[in-house]
Amino acid sequence: MEALTLVLLPFLFLVVLILSTGKSLCLRNSITPKTYPVIGCLLSFYTNRNRLLDWYTELLTESPSGTVIINRLAARRTVVTANPSNVEYILKTNFDNYPKGKPFTEILGDFLGGGIFNVDGNLWVKQRRLATHDFTPRSLREYVDVLRNEVEDELLSFLDAAAQDYQPFDLQELLRRFTFNIVCIVFLGIDRCSLNPSSPVSEFDRAFQTAAAVSAGRGSAPLSFVWKLKRLVGFGSEKDLRHAVQKVHSCVNEIIREKKINTKSDFLSRLIVAGESDEAVRDMVISVVMAGRDTTSAVTTRLFSLISCHKTTECELVNEIRSVKDITGGFDYESLKKLSLLKACLCEVMRLYPPVPWDSKHALTDDRLPDGTAFEPIGTDKPVFVPMLTAHMAGGMRVRVRRRYGSR
């Protein structure tokens, strides 16, 4: 009994210390999450693990400098900032000192592999150079042609049918499928999936959703060693991730094999012709699909959601679209540039609800940000820097549609 008491005594002392001194050991500044001995702000982080963006935003809003420092057990020191000077310094002025780093690439490595969003240095430069060929004025004109055809033949047809039957549907799921189809057609040269949100998605799409969700969950895990242990033994969500990644790889590899036989003028064909290995092509394809799949649908969903609450703006947008269409007779790459109000609305939506609300960086060497925040090594690890712009997420939105005004 005495031996047991001696073993438990240190743990009891630690619990008493945490509970009795929690308030006094918290940083007096109210913008800092409650921080305790040993565990740091792990309790606050765990409590807010399902709303991290909102939690960070609340902390940043109250911070005079727009910067918050997060310390928690079993995690690297994290600097979260929305200070424009800091963001410019890290993403531009001292860019070379702030790569993505191993802490970030390890989280997404199983899914994205060596794709452009998960590499640094020469690999990043090389892939960026290859990707820029698909964002020239000529390629964008072709993209607009594909987009117009898909809107007229598929999206508007579905909306017409829904309006006639007075059937509600999930707008975000509809737009997610639509943008997924556009990405597949433009970049991969493969057939589309059904736009009907009630119909089942393809195996590729379903596996992609699972892989993306589990990978994102790694980043918000309070204790990183938990998901690493689950990955090691192949348990729970990590088992689902492994199967999903295998399915995604299998589907993409099959697309690559078919594309080698029947090459076309799409992004995937150009990667193959460039002489990249099958693995490199596969990882770039996954990154491209990742980039265009959810981001565009999130922005457009928010746009329609906000417009529905601002009738004056809705009327002004309809009038602008009609006037441009009457002048040009339709919409192409040049006429779309004339929709200045629509562009302003899209920019405002992305400012308020950015589809990619943060960017994770890792400091290579000691440094000091413009607001005075210092980066000092902790043991052999350098602190992680996460520039934050804002933190809102586009949720699902069920709507009933009316027949659109006039002709297409």
Side-chain angles (χ1 to χ4, degrees):
M1 188 66 179
E2 292 180 359
L4 180 60
T5 302
L6 291 174
V7 172
L8 293 178
L9 187 60
F11 295 98
L12 293 173
F13 176 76
L14 177 61
V15 172
V16 171
L17 178 66
I18 291 175
L19 295 179
S20 63
T21 63
K23 292 184 179 180
S24 61
L25 289 175
C26 290
L27 295 181
R28 293 185 179 182
N29 195 331
S30 61
I31 64 168
T32 303
K34 288 186 178 181
T35 303
Y36 301 97
V38 182
I39 64 173
C41 66
L42 181 62
L43 294 179
S44 296
F45 188 93
Y46 180 80
T47 303
N48 292 280
R49 68 191 183 282
N50 294 323
R51 57 182 299 274
L52 283 181
L53 296 181
D54 292 324
W55 183 52
Y56 283 150
T57 300
E58 292 165 3
L59 294 173
L60 291 168
T61 301
E62 297 298 324
S63 172
S65 65
T67 301
V68 176
I69 298 177
I70 307 294
N71 289 294
R72 73 179 196 276
L73 178 68
R76 292 174 174 86
R77 174 176 175 268
T78 303
V79 176
V80 186
T81 183
N83 188 308
S85 298
N86 291 345
V87 174
E88 181 180 16
Y89 178 79
I90 288 183
L91 297 184
K92 181 181 178 181
T93 308
N94 199 15
F95 177 77
D96 292 338
N97 190 50
Y98 296 94
K100 297 179 182 70
K102 185 179 178 180
F104 177 84
T105 58
E106 189 177 36
I107 291 175
L108 298 176
D110 292 329
F111 182 34
L112 297 184
I116 188 171
F117 298 117
N118 209 46
V119 293
D120 291 304
N122 293 332
L123 281 176
W124 178 82
V125 173
K126 180 181 180 181
Q127 294 188 41
R128 185 177 184 274
R129 188 180 299 115
L130 287 171
T132 53
H133 291 297
D134 281 79
F135 294 95
T136 62
R138 178 181 177 182
S139 62
L140 289 176
R141 286 186 175 88
E142 296 175 354
Y143 173 82
V144 170
D145 291 338
V146 173
L147 180 61
R148 183 182 61 246
N149 293 335
E150 287 299 303
V151 168
E152 293 180 349
D153 298 340
E154 299 295 329
L155 183 60
L156 293 182
S157 297
F158 174 84
L159 292 176
D160 272 344
Q164 291 174 0
D165 297 335
Y166 296 97
Q167 291 296 323
F169 60 88
D170 189 326
L171 179 62
Q172 182 166 356
E173 176 62 16
L174 171 67
L175 295 175
R176 190 197 64 78
R177 294 190 182 207
F178 176 73
T179 54
F180 181 72
N181 285 349
I182 295 296
V183 170
C184 289
I185 293 171
V186 173
F187 293 99
L188 307 184
I190 62 176
D191 293 335
R192 62 181 72 87
C193 66
S194 172
L195 287 184
N196 191 338
S198 62
S199 64
V201 298
S202 65
E203 291 186 357
F204 176 52
D205 195 0
R206 182 167 57 253
F208 208 99
Q209 289 185 57
T210 300
V214 177
S215 297
R218 286 178 171 182
S220 59
L223 299 172
S224 61
F225 74 83
V226 175
W227 69 259
K228 292 179 181 179
L229 179 61
K230 290 166 65 177
R231 179 180 61 178
L232 180 64
V233 300
F235 174 75
S237 59
E238 289 298 319
K239 180 180 179 180
D240 296 336
L241 175 61
R242 183 179 302 175
H243 291 162
V245 169
Q246 289 175 350
K247 186 62 181 179
V248 170
H249 286 180
S250 176
C251 292
V252 174
N253 288 335
E254 180 62 28
I255 295 171
I256 293 173
R257 284 192 292 268
E258 294 179 358
K259 191 64 62 174
K260 287 182 176 180
I261 299 174
N262 301 306
T263 58
K264 298 179 181 179
S265 59
D266 52 59
F267 176 73
L268 178 54
S269 296
R270 284 189 284 275
L271 286 180
I272 295 173
V273 172
E276 298 295 321
S277 66
D278 287 356
E279 182 178 352
V281 172
R282 181 200 68 198
D283 292 343
M284 282 198 68
V285 165
I286 293 174
S287 290
V288 167
V289 175
M290 184 80 170
R293 179 174 169 273
D294 292 326
T295 52
T296 305
S297 62
V299 172
T300 49
T301 301
R302 275 294 182 189
L303 175 66
F304 287 120
S305 176
L306 293 175
I307 288 176
S308 66
C309 301
H310 297 80
K311 295 300 181 181
T312 301
T313 303
E314 179 183 0
C315 293
E316 292 175 351
L317 280 173
V318 171
N319 292 334
E320 180 186 64
I321 292 170
R322 283 176 173 173
S323 63
V324 172
K325 184 178 181 181
D326 291 341
I327 295 174
T328 61
F331 293 105
D332 55 18
Y333 179 74
E334 297 300 330
S335 61
L336 287 176
K337 294 181 180 180
K338 300 178 181 179
L339 299 174
S340 56
L341 178 59
L342 178 58
K343 179 182 178 181
C345 290
L346 285 170
C347 290
E348 183 66 1
V349 169
M350 287 189 287
R351 184 184 72 84
L352 295 172
Y353 303 94
V356 184
W358 62 24
D359 184 13
S360 181
K361 297 294 182 181
H362 188 80
L364 290 178
T365 61
D366 300 351
D367 200 2
R368 184 177 295 274
L369 298 181
D371 70 350
T373 303
F375 284 150
E376 299 175 355
I378 301 177
T380 58
D381 295 325
K382 298 295 181 181
V384 176
F385 171 82
V386 186
M388 289 286 297
L389 299 180
T390 185
H392 296 281
M393 299 185 69
M397 176 182 174
R398 294 192 64 81
V399 298
R400 293 182 182 272
V401 295
R402 299 171 296 174
R403 294 192 184 186
R404 61 184 182 279
Y405 304 112
S407 59
R408 291 179 184 173

